[in-house]
Amino acid sequence: MFSSDNRPTLTLVLTSLTIGALDHSSWFLAYAGLLFGFSFLVGYKWTRPVWVWLTILAAGAPAINVAAHVLFGYQAGYSLLEDAGMRFVGAFVAILPGVGMGVVSRRVQRIFSPR
């Protein structure tokens, strides 16, 4: 990656899919912790447009879930759209506090940093 390239799209997509695999394998604590940590970094760096990076981060779990439904015949107690939608909304439950903590940390660091 070049030093002038500040768009972490590919890295974030691969991270999101890896985190989504953790969600699908029922490692929920690791899943929530990683979502919180990566969203903290997005909130701390505040790379524009933030909503794109957060959507990419949240889309990993539904993408893995849809792939499991389509490719491997995974059948949950819900329909495909309900299951993927619940995982997308659940990802944002872990993402939003992480972004908030990242923004607060960045602001506090600016206040207390020597000039």
Side-chain angles (χ1 to χ4, degrees):
M1 184 180 297
F2 298 108
S3 61
S4 64
D5 186 13
N6 62 356
R7 302 285 185 208
T9 306
L10 180 62
T11 304
L12 202 56
V13 166
L14 294 175
T15 300
S16 176
L17 291 175
T18 304
I19 292 171
L22 285 174
D23 172 53
H24 194 71
S25 63
S26 298
W27 284 56
F28 297 121
L29 187 60
Y31 167 69
L34 285 172
L35 277 178
F36 182 87
F38 279 99
S39 62
F40 177 87
L41 291 175
V42 170
Y44 187 77
K45 292 292 184 182
W46 201 258
T47 315
R48 300 279 177 163
V50 173
W51 66 271
V52 171
W53 311 126
L54 295 180
T55 303
I56 289 171
L57 193 57
I64 294 294
N65 192 31
V66 167
H69 273 282
V70 173
L71 298 176
F72 304 113
Y74 172 72
Q75 296 296 323
Y78 310 103
S79 70
L80 174 66
L81 291 176
E82 286 177 326
D83 201 16
M86 286 189 317
R87 290 177 190 267
F88 187 75
V89 170
F92 268 106
V93 169
I95 285 174
L96 291 178
V99 171
M101 288 300 296
V103 170
V104 167
S105 297
R106 183 180 45 146
R107 298 288 181 177
V108 167
Q109 182 186 14
R110 285 184 184 169
I111 291 171
F112 292 113
S113 66
R115 295 186 185 237

